[in-house]
């Protein structure tokens, strides 16, 4: 279900409003500096680890990686040992990969398929649903209640073919977390897109430095003069803020330009025929809290994920999903030579990460002043503080909650000027 014609026209009108304005919209708040310590202070890093990564829905796998009952895959990029298992009833289950006896990993291979999951240490046996089926020499355990010793489960839900996990048993459902984005994504047929490529790259900077390079277009003319800038009109970019820290940008191709003239797409990729006008003619990109950034088009769903690997190191994970392609010609939106190296655009986005990290660790760095164009970054930080609990954050590391609900979708004071 593509956007309504009325909503498409509203967004087109907003693009022209953005191009013509001479100042931020009336009533949009001045954005205080983002404190420097949010990138370099171990106290804030620990708060992120404890709250942001334990309470958010995180993309973990694609159903193509767990195609049939018994298929399993280890997922430990958050520092927690997780095993994803395709259950007997077709559901995907997530468990801590921790035997309930002496804590040994139940699964040691990265992926595969099993009828039963047997701990290699003492032979405790578990079902695909995590139930403890058998204990070696059970007579020696007295009154052990097997029914209470199954693998510890983790919240696991799907959106189309994507598998998300959440370590918080009290978290909102995935659909509630996505909110209106779930409806907006229907036109892209997440349920029909296959996994074509998935790669991981190590970067020497705080994960937010890397992610923020992909959540604003203020840098496009400087960093991407020959790649992105020719196909993206940054002055007509329309940012939308959603609850829970999510955001969206829609930027048209510059007038007189055709995106495919600059960045041609292989004819071997089938198109997603339900994608609407804006998805076909604009750069339409979503930021999903906490670490997902992805343009979406009629050709591909290519999310980039950013994961902390220490306070000054991170991992960037590139995905490409598409509905169909010719055998042996699967698309890869972000890398070259099957993941050997990053594409030109991502090389440009990541080239300064290590240097920025070094500068941020210096005494000369006091904080980040953000423009109206960079409001999605500030919005993300407000949401992070609310998830952490503002009272849990040292005062010098907090951000002020200055962007109010009047700027959160479906509210948008800019519409009064159309």
């Amino acid at each position: 279900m593509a956007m309504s014609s009325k909503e498409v026209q509203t967004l087109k009108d907003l693009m022209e409003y953005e191009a013509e304005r001479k100042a931020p919209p009336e009533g949009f708040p001045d954005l205080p500096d983002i404190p420097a310590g949010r990138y370099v202070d171990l106290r804030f890093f620990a708060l992120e680890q404890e709250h942001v990564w334990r309470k958010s829905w995180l993309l973990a796998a694609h159903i193509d990686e767990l195609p049939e009952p018994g298929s399993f895959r280890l997922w430990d990029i958050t520092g927690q040992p997780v095993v994803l298992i395709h259950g007997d009833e077709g559901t995907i289950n997530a468990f801590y990969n921790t035997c309930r006896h002496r804590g040994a990993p139940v699964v040691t291979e990265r992926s595969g398929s099993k009828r039963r999951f047997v701990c290699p240490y003492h032979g405790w046996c578990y079902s695909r649903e995590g139930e403890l089926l058998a204990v070696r020499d059970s007579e020696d355990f007295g009154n052990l209640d097997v029914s209470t010793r199954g693998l510890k489960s983790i919240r696991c839900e799907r959106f189309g073919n994507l598998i998300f996990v959440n370590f918080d048993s009290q978290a909102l459902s995935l659909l509630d977390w996505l909110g209106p984005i779930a409806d907006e994504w229907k036109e892209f047929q997440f349920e029909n897109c296959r996994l074509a490529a998935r790669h991981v790259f190590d970067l020497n900077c705080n994960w937010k430095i890397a992610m923020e390079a992909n959540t604003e277009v203020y840098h496009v003319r400087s960093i991407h003069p020959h790649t992105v800038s020719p196909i993206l009109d940054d002055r007509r970019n329309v940012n939308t803020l959603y609850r829970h820290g999510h955001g969206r940008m829609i930027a048209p191709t510059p007038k007189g330009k055709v995106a495919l003239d600059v960045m041609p797409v292989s004819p071997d990729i089938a198109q997603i025929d339900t994608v609407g006008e804006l998805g076909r003619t604009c750069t339409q990109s979503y930021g999903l809290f906490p670490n997902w950034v992805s343009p979406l088009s009629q050709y591909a769903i290519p999310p980039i994920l950013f994961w902390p690997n220490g306070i000054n190191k991170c991992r960037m994970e590139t995905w490409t999903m598409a509905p169909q392609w010719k055998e042996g010609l699967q698309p890869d939106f972000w890398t070259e030579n099957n993941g050997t190296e990053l594409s030109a655009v991502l090389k440009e986005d990541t080239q300064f990460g290590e240097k920025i990290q070094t500068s941020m660790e210096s005494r000369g760095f006091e904080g980040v002043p953000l423009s109206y164009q960079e409001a999605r970054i500030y919005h993300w930080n407000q949401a992070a503080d609310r998830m952490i609990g503002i009272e849990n954050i040292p005062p010098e590391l907090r951000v002020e909650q200055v962007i109010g609900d009047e700027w959160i979708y479906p509210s948008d004071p800019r519409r009064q000027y159309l």
Side-chain angles (χ1 to χ4, degrees), residues 149-216:
R149 302 287 180 167
L151 296 175
K152 297 290 287 186
S153 65
I154 299 165
R155 292 279 297 278
C156 184
E157 296 181 18
R158 285 177 60 178
F159 183 84
N161 285 334
L162 300 187
I163 300 162
F164 289 79
V165 300
N166 193 315
F167 294 97
D168 181 7
S169 62
Q170 304 302 313
L172 296 171
S173 71
L174 176 58
L175 283 181
D176 286 340
W177 174 254
L178 292 173
I181 290 175
D183 286 332
E184 293 178 19
W185 280 1
K186 286 180 180 177
E187 67 180 284
F188 297 99
Q189 297 189 36
F190 278 68
E191 69 279 9
N192 292 326
C193 285
R194 299 166 54 205
L195 181 64
R198 183 180 180 182
H199 304 288
V200 177
F201 297 86
D202 290 318
L203 304 176
N204 293 318
C205 62
N206 183 275
W207 72 278
K208 295 189 296 299
I209 293 173
M211 182 179 70
E212 288 169 3
N214 292 272
T215 54
E216 45 85 6

Side-chain angles (χ1 to χ4, degrees), residues 110-131:
R110 295 302 303 177
S111 61
S113 183
K114 294 178 182 289
R115 294 183 60 233
R116 297 286 185 266
F117 292 84
V118 180
C119 176
Y121 197 9
H122 295 99
W124 284 31
C125 178
Y126 300 88
S127 74
R128 296 166 176 175
E129 314 303 325
E131 305 160 304

Side-chain angles (χ1 to χ4, degrees), residues 13-14 30 57 63 65 93 143 158 173 199 219 233 238 245-246 251 288 311 342 352 396 403:
D13 292 342
L14 282 172
D30 292 333
W57 284 101
I63 193 62
E65 299 172 301
N93 303 310
N143 295 321
R158 285 177 60 178
S173 71
H199 304 288
H219 72 285
D233 188 342
V238 177
H246 312 319
L288 194 65
I311 191 169
L342 292 171
F352 291 117
E396 68 274 17
I403 301 177

Side-chain angles (χ1 to χ4, degrees), residues 183-391:
D183 286 332
E184 293 178 19
W185 280 1
K186 286 180 180 177
E187 67 180 284
F188 297 99
Q189 297 189 36
F190 278 68
E191 69 279 9
N192 292 326
C193 285
R194 299 166 54 205
L195 181 64
R198 183 180 180 182
H199 304 288
V200 177
F201 297 86
D202 290 318
L203 304 176
N204 293 318
C205 62
N206 183 275
W207 72 278
K208 295 189 296 299
I209 293 173
M211 182 179 70
E212 288 169 3
N214 292 272
T215 54
E216 45 85 6
V217 295
Y218 186 42
H219 72 285
V220 165
R221 278 176 279 172
S222 297
I223 301 299
H224 306 296
H226 305 298
T227 52
V228 179
S229 188
I231 61 171
L232 188 151
D233 188 342
D234 60 288
R235 291 305 302 175
R236 284 180 165 79
N237 176 55
V238 177
N239 283 317
T240 301
L241 309 179
Y242 299 89
R243 297 198 180 280
H244 310 308
H246 312 319
R248 181 190 68 193
M249 59 155 276
I250 299 181
T253 301
K255 292 183 178 180
K257 292 278 190 178
V258 177
L260 295 184
D261 290 344
V262 181
M263 189 178 288
V265 176
S266 169
D268 301 317
I269 304 174
Q271 293 192 33
I272 305 169
D273 57 12
T274 51
V275 173
E277 178 183 353
L278 295 184
R280 292 175 178 272
T281 62
C282 300
T283 297
Q284 183 169 333
S285 182
Y286 286 83
L288 194 65
F289 188 96
N291 69 329
W292 156 305
V293 178
S294 181
L296 302 176
S297 74
Q298 73 270 37
Y299 296 105
I301 298 171
I304 319 172
L305 307 176
F306 300 88
W307 307 96
N309 195 25
I311 191 169
N312 58 3
K313 296 182 183 297
C314 68
R315 311 199 104 177
M316 181 174 69
E317 192 172 1
T318 63
W319 294 49
T320 302
M321 291 169 280
Q324 194 56 268
W325 53 86
K326 290 183 179 179
E327 191 66 32
L329 296 173
Q330 65 263 37
D332 189 341
F333 197 85
W334 296 120
T335 79
E336 299 175 0
N337 301 320
N338 194 30
T340 302
E341 57 183 330
L342 292 171
S343 66
V345 170
L346 286 188
K347 283 180 181 176
E348 292 167 349
D349 274 328
T350 58
Q351 63 183 312
F352 291 117
E354 185 171 356
K355 294 180 177 65
I356 292 171
Q357 182 69 41
T358 300
S359 294
M360 284 186 167
E361 291 172 353
S362 75
R363 293 187 179 91
F365 178 64
E366 297 178 346
V368 178
L370 293 173
S371 68
Y372 162 71
Q373 292 186 52
E374 301 164 292
R376 284 197 297 154
I377 296 174
Y378 199 93
H379 174 57
W380 184 98
N381 279 273
Q382 285 192 181
D385 280 16
R386 291 193 297 270
M387 179 172 282
I388 292 169
I390 295 171
E391 69 284 357

Side-chain angles (χ1 to χ4, degrees), residues 32-48 208 311 365-367 378 380-382 384-386 388-401:
D33 288 9
I34 301 291
R38 295 171 77 92
Y39 302 89
V40 299
D41 193 314
L42 284 170
R43 294 175 298 169
F44 192 75
F45 179 76
L47 289 170
E48 287 180 336
K208 295 189 296 299
I311 191 169
F365 178 64
E366 297 178 346
Y378 199 93
W380 184 98
N381 279 273
Q382 285 192 181
D385 280 16
R386 291 193 297 270
I388 292 169
I390 295 171
E391 69 284 357
N392 296 324
I393 305 171
E396 68 274 17
L397 296 177
R398 300 172 187 168
V399 296
E400 297 180 40
Q401 301 285 315

